[in-house]
Amino acid sequence: MHPNQTVQRRRRLAKGQMPFAVVFSCIDSRVPPEIVFDRGLGDLFATRTGAQTADAVALGSVEFGPDETGTPLIFVLGHEACGAVTAAIESIRTNTPAPGHVQAVVDALRPAYDIAVGQSGDMVDNMVRAQTKLTVAQRKNEPGLAEKIKAGRLMIVGGRYSLTTGRVELIA
Ligand SMILES: [Zn+2]
């Protein structure tokens, strides 16, 4: 429906924003959160890294919405056929370091790899799901965020986007 994409909306938002959700998702060109969730200007805070891996800067960016404007939802979004996950599996399996700073993404995916490698089925998809669930669990344990959840002011959930169907399935 392409909501909130008019010139009037843009002008109104110049005075301030109050997005209703934070989306923490992958850099993948096929998964822009505003298009996946059919939203427009001022609707979402979006933090995007390879396979929604987190370092301190990314986490600070995710927490910005709940801390500064009271954003009531953090949605961690993994997706089908994640290239970052696929590259990490290749790097770990062959014990070949990824080029440059890509290695930092591989390192951050190691815990999800360790979970997925023991599961049956599709390794990439298992690892996408593991990474999403781990990220949700870790965010829920962040003291500042845990306090907001307890007070009923924040929800943190995780989903998997299907490139094939365009649907997001809640998985955490
Ligand atoms: Zn991806």
Side-chain angles (χ1 to χ4, degrees), residues 140-155:
K140 282 183 173 173
N141 280 328
E142 190 73 38
L145 298 179
E147 201 176 288
K148 290 181 176 63
I149 293 169
K150 206 172 162 198
R153 289 186 283 118
L154 178 66
M155 277 182 74

Side-chain angles (χ1 to χ4, degrees), residues 26-28 30-31 49-52 78-85 128:
C26 183
I27 57 169
D28 197 291
R30 301 162 294 180
V31 194
T49 63
Q52 63 280 355
H79 69 94
E80 180 184 358
C82 182
V85 162
V128 164

